[in-house]
Amino acid sequence: MRYSHTRIRRVCATFATLGVLVVPVGTGAALAAEAPAPVALVASPSPSADAGFPELTPAVAARLDRAVRDVMKETGVPGVTVGLSAPGKGTYIRSFGVADKATGQPMDPGLYMRIGSETKTFTVTALLELVDRGKVSVDDPISKYVDGVPNGDEITLRNLASMRSGLFNYSADEGFYKALTSNPDRPFTPQELLAYSFKHPVQFQPGAEFDYCNTNLILLGLVVEKVSGTPLDEFVRKNVLAPAGLRHTVFPTDAAFPNPHAHGYTVQTASGKLEDSTDWNPSWGWAAGAMISNLQDLRTWARVVATGTLLTPKTQAERLKTYPTGLAGAGYGLGIFDVQGWIGHNGSLPGYESLTIYLPEARATLVVLLNTDVLHDGNEPSTLFGRAVTRVVTPDHVFDIPATEPKPSPSGS
């Protein structure tokens, strides 16, 4: 089995289902479209608001256990960790299944996991910190910082961060997926990734549509590096991770994986057969999806990124202005989404998926980490877990992203 365009587009894609379903028909289809007005989110409700969030009693915990186990049984996910909490309501932390199918090592809340496109929230936070320092503006054209970008004089940093640039997604290029699947251990440079994108025409005019695109974040990573004079991983470590108190989050520059970690399993391989992808080199995701974290840090990050702890209120307000995505109840801001009131991001790359979200009105945090990215009936397994958990605790705010529609690969398979 060959990679399909649907599958390769969701490699390292957070909110990838949206990126697949809203692919523009052609470069002229959206030229006359007027950019819709953004919708502002509110991420700092009064402390008294609890949105009817239930106390996490043993009875509720038992319902959550059943919901998680049901999804595991349905999907065949090897292992998953779920962390759920809200002030005054308690904390639910559970791990299910195995972290290593070969040894039977159990899944554990302390394990490091690859978090894929949740990396985008860190990269965009780094960019917005530079905005707060007066070093860049989100309305600067990308051509001010990176040469050779198609339509670069028209595409702003805001367009890139909100997935409205019109650039072609490098991870949807056939040459890229052949290179990745033939040698998943090889390193990629940001310039190599951009080259896969830039040989394609722009998909639509900037701001006209939403199209989830990893190319956007590679460019924003380069902006952070140029403006700060610092490698992206170093800037993120010093200016995002350290002040946020994240001691177990890593921006790797190679395939190194801190211990202890879970093994990851994927069918996104040259043969289409299930393989252990634990040590695959994540450099091809870089600013869009290379990072590693654990449950403890992501529970902290869910609140930090949604409430804007590291940014000025003005910049955070800009970040939380979401634009339509084409799916009911789902909007996308600057490197962050709102799905039925839950603010955050998800992540997927071969072998791993994650979901880190925050519900402002209940000040509730939900983190899901699992060690496979194998779809179930077109659904991301992280979405299925998110849906199952939120159905129990926030039935008025059920996290859900519709399943992808199968599409043929270039080879017809």
Side-chain angles (χ1 to χ4, degrees):
M1 180 185 296
R2 299 284 300 281
Y3 265 139
S4 69
H5 271 311
T6 296
R7 292 295 285 164
I8 197 63
R9 285 183 66 86
R10 62 173 291 279
V11 172
C12 178
T14 340
F15 218 44
T17 302
L18 295 183
V20 171
L21 293 181
V22 199
V23 178
V25 175
T27 57
L31 294 183
E34 182 176 343
V39 178
L41 301 177
V42 179
S44 300
S46 65
S48 61
D50 66 7
F53 196 93
E55 290 189 23
L56 298 176
T57 62
V60 173
R63 290 178 61 198
L64 290 168
D65 287 349
R66 288 194 296 272
V68 173
R69 289 193 175 105
D70 285 347
V71 174
M72 289 190 72
K73 182 178 180 180
E74 177 185 358
T75 61
V77 168
V80 63
T81 292
V82 177
L84 175 70
S85 63
K89 302 297 183 177
T91 299
Y92 171 91
I93 296 178
R94 294 277 202 280
S95 287
F96 303 82
V98 298
D100 187 337
K101 295 171 69 173
T103 66
Q105 174 193 356
M107 199 69 167
D108 184 271
L111 297 177
Y112 286 94
M113 306 285 284
R114 298 196 187 277
I115 61 172
S117 285
E118 287 200 43
T119 302
K120 293 177 173 65
T121 61
F122 294 92
T123 299
V124 173
T125 297
L127 176 76
L128 295 179
E129 287 185 350
L130 293 173
V131 170
D132 279 339
R133 298 177 191 180
K135 302 294 186 181
V136 301
S137 167
V138 291
D139 295 315
D140 287 340
I142 186 60
S143 61
K144 181 176 179 179
Y145 306 100
V146 182
D147 294 330
V149 180
N151 223 10
D153 290 340
E154 303 296 328
I155 296 170
T156 65
L157 306 188
R158 186 192 300 274
N159 294 147
L160 295 168
S162 61
M163 301 297 176
R164 306 179 68 80
S165 71
L167 292 173
F168 186 85
N169 190 354
Y170 71 84
S171 56
D173 177 78
E174 184 172 358
F176 166 77
Y177 77 69
K178 285 181 178 178
L180 177 65
T181 57
S182 63
N183 183 11
D185 298 324
R186 65 163 284 185
F188 287 86
T189 66
Q191 291 71 26
E192 287 174 321
L193 300 175
L194 293 179
Y196 288 116
S197 170
F198 293 173
K199 66 183 181 181
H200 296 271
V202 295
Q203 309 297 291
F204 51 87
Q205 288 301 298
E209 294 187 20
F210 172 91
D211 184 33
Y212 191 89
C213 177
N214 292 316
T215 305
N216 297 339
L217 270 292
I218 303 303
L219 288 168
L220 293 181
L222 291 175
V223 172
V224 172
E225 290 196 331
K226 182 169 184 176
V227 173
S228 69
T230 306
L232 180 62
D233 61 288
E234 182 179 331
F235 187 90
V236 168
R237 183 173 66 254
K238 292 181 177 180
N239 296 279
V240 181
L241 305 183
L246 306 184
R247 297 180 295 173
H248 304 284
T249 303
V250 180
F251 198 132
T253 56
D254 53 26
F257 205 157
N259 285 313
H261 59 255
H263 283 245
Y265 302 93
T266 188
V267 293
Q268 299 201 62
T269 60
S271 67
K273 297 179 180 178
L274 189 72
E275 293 185 15
D276 186 324
S277 58
T278 306
D279 296 320
W280 288 8
N281 193 321
S283 62
W284 64 270
W286 194 51
M291 290 179 69
I292 295 166
S293 191
N294 72 357
L295 179 72
Q296 176 184 332
D297 273 13
L298 291 177
R299 291 180 65 217
T300 298
W301 184 241
R303 176 184 52 79
V304 168
V305 72
T307 61
T309 301
L310 303 180
L311 304 174
T312 64
K314 179 181 178 181
T315 298
Q316 180 68 2
E318 286 295 305
R319 177 175 214 166
L320 295 182
K321 291 179 181 177
T322 65
Y323 293 85
T325 61
L327 296 177
Y332 200 90
L334 302 183
I336 200 165
F337 64 53
D338 167 41
V339 176
Q340 302 297 338
W342 287 94
I343 300 172
H345 223 287
N346 60 358
S348 178
L349 80 169
Y352 300 89
E353 288 202 345
S354 59
L355 177 65
T356 297
I357 50 179
Y358 181 84
L359 185 64
E361 59 194 83
R363 293 176 293 158
T365 297
L366 173 61
V367 177
V368 179
L369 296 166
L370 54 144
N371 59 344
T372 187
D373 67 316
V374 178
L375 296 179
H376 178 73
D377 292 338
N379 288 284
E380 306 282 349
S382 62
T383 296
L384 297 179
F385 285 111
R387 180 196 303 168
V389 169
T390 55
R391 277 178 174 169
V392 173
V393 294
T394 56
D396 293 332
H397 299 277
V398 175
F399 180 89
D400 197 11
I401 302 173
T404 61
E405 294 293 335
K407 295 183 180 182
S409 71
S411 65
S413 59

